[in-house]
Amino acid sequence: MLDDNTGKAFTLLPTEGESFDGIWYGEYNGYRTHVFDNKDRSAAEMQGRDSALAYSWTVDLGTEDSNKTVTKTAVFKIGNIELNQISYDPNTGEGVIAGTTVVNGTTKKIVIKKNAGEMTKEGYKFAGWGLSEDAKSAKYKGGETIDLGMLGSDLKLYALWQLIKASNPSVTIEEVAQMVEEEISNEGINIITTEAGEALPTTELGNAEAVTKSVNIELSKVTPAQYVETIRNTVQSVPSQGVAVIETNEVATFDKNIIEAMAERNDVSYVIVFKHDGFKKKVVIPAGYDVQTLLDENGYCGFLRLAAILGFTIID
């Protein structure tokens, strides 16, 4: 209902998943018991009188349990109402997943929807929801709970797609070419994505426990700039809660640019593999570790320094 003088309104909305069965309206001061007759009133009849609205639900308690209780809730707001909406974008895919709208400023927790096949992309599998169409990693997988009402703004999530491996006969030649371009970008650099349970390209590491992005770099065949950029890109593209395996054919060093990229992905655990003294050595940086503390006074962390701080395992 709208106040002609102030322009302000009051609104009563059912909460998510609910709907009112009846809206009753009439002359407020004509009924001491506040019961409305659900009849339209002419402008002349309502002139100078207060009007009122009543909203109702019809609830079926059934006959089996006379003590059954049903709770219905609604949101009452004075002033111009603002809504927050979460929406789902197929992002070059196809299909629709319905969004959810709640009243801004209300505590309303909702569950991020999963993509159970409603959205698809030929030759690709769903990899989660990103905050932009070109996001490098998924912010949500689906099933997470957020307080949309207190977010203060709309939230648009974009479907992220991961190329299906060439072993799948439905993958086209063009998609295989794209996979090769993405996964093997330069001589001396090999990047592979491994699903949980599959064998890792570094066979000594066994099978992947989570989605893993592995990069193997032959240092003599890349420039220092390529080395830094490759590791940064790998770190940024690891799926949420995944693992990054960084392997070099000799002892190498992380500079502050690499460490900063790793710090931004504290949901990722890192496995560093390098050759030293004729052995393959493995160092694990657990997810959430403060990697900034690994840098020395000059802003570097060599692999031997890393092994001294966190310990190492010989895997060769």
Side-chain angles (χ1 to χ4, degrees):
M1 299 183 69
L2 182 66
D3 186 315
D4 292 334
N5 296 319
T6 66
K8 290 186 176 180
F10 74 76
T11 308
L12 186 67
L13 293 177
T15 53
E16 181 191 1
E18 301 282 0
S19 61
F20 294 124
D21 299 309
I23 302 178
W24 299 78
Y25 51 94
E27 178 186 340
Y28 173 79
N29 62 2
Y31 298 89
R32 293 185 179 181
T33 57
H34 297 185
V35 177
F36 309 116
D37 59 8
N38 203 26
K39 295 180 180 179
D40 284 318
R41 302 282 180 166
S42 68
E45 288 179 303
M46 297 302 295
Q47 186 67 36
R49 299 178 182 271
D50 292 330
S51 60
L53 293 175
Y55 299 80
S56 67
W57 285 284
T58 299
V59 178
D60 182 7
L61 296 179
T63 58
E64 296 181 0
D65 186 356
S66 60
N67 295 319
K68 184 177 180 181
T69 300
V70 175
T71 301
K72 299 286 188 177
T73 58
V75 175
F76 178 78
K77 184 176 177 65
I78 297 177
N80 295 326
I81 193 168
E82 296 179 10
L83 301 175
N84 289 348
Q85 183 183 50
I86 180 171
S87 58
Y88 303 88
D89 190 311
N91 192 20
T92 71
E94 297 180 348
V96 175
I97 293 179
T100 304
T101 301
V102 302
V103 178
N104 182 17
T106 61
T107 299
K108 182 58 183 176
K109 295 182 178 180
I110 67 162
V111 177
I112 302 291
K113 292 184 178 180
K114 296 181 179 181
N115 180 16
E118 297 91 341
M119 290 182 179
T120 59
K121 183 176 180 180
E122 186 177 357
Y124 291 77
K125 62 181 177 180
F126 179 71
W129 301 109
L131 298 182
S132 65
E133 58 186 5
D134 57 352
K136 300 295 185 183
S137 61
K139 177 68 173 178
Y140 304 104
K141 290 291 187 180
E144 300 89 346
T145 300
I146 65 169
D147 195 338
L148 182 60
M150 298 304 291
L151 191 62
S153 63
D154 292 341
L155 177 62
K156 187 173 184 178
L157 298 180
Y158 297 83
L160 301 183
W161 304 100
Q162 185 175 17
L163 189 68
I164 298 173
K165 296 299 182 183
S167 57
N168 187 328
S170 67
V171 178
T172 66
I173 294 175
E174 291 78 11
E175 289 169 337
V176 173
Q178 180 182 346
M179 179 185 71
V180 171
E181 181 180 352
E182 292 177 351
E183 302 269 89
I184 307 174
S185 54
N186 295 97
E187 183 182 4
I189 299 173
N190 190 27
I191 303 174
I192 299 291
T193 300
T194 307
E195 295 297 318
E198 295 179 354
L200 290 162
T202 302
T203 56
E204 297 91 341
L205 297 178
N207 293 343
E209 296 182 1
V211 181
T212 301
K213 198 87 169 182
S214 299
V215 56
N216 186 300
I217 303 176
E218 192 171 345
L219 295 175
S220 62
K221 294 184 178 180
V222 299
T223 67
Q226 284 177 312
Y227 167 79
V228 171
E229 189 64 21
T230 297
I231 295 179
R232 280 178 55 86
N233 289 341
T234 300
V235 167
Q236 292 169 353
S237 64
V238 177
S240 178
Q241 310 299 321
V243 178
V245 175
I246 301 168
E247 182 174 359
T248 60
N249 62 327
E250 57 185 275
V251 177
T253 298
F254 290 154
D255 67 4
K256 63 179 182 180
N257 295 308
I258 293 174
I259 292 295
E260 286 173 0
M262 295 169 72
E264 291 175 1
R265 295 299 312 278
N266 60 6
D267 62 304
V268 173
S269 58
Y270 300 94
V271 178
I272 316 303
V273 178
F274 60 97
K275 283 190 176 180
H276 178 240
D277 288 340
F279 297 99
K280 270 190 180 181
K281 297 183 178 181
K282 178 186 76 172
V283 180
V284 176
I285 305 176
Y289 188 89
D290 186 2
V291 293
Q292 298 281 8
T293 61
L294 297 172
L295 294 172
D296 62 19
E297 63 276 10
N298 297 312
Y300 294 95
C301 177
F303 286 4
L304 295 181
R305 172 184 172 85
L306 190 64
I309 295 174
L310 295 175
F312 67 91
T313 303
I314 294 177
I315 62 173
D316 195 9

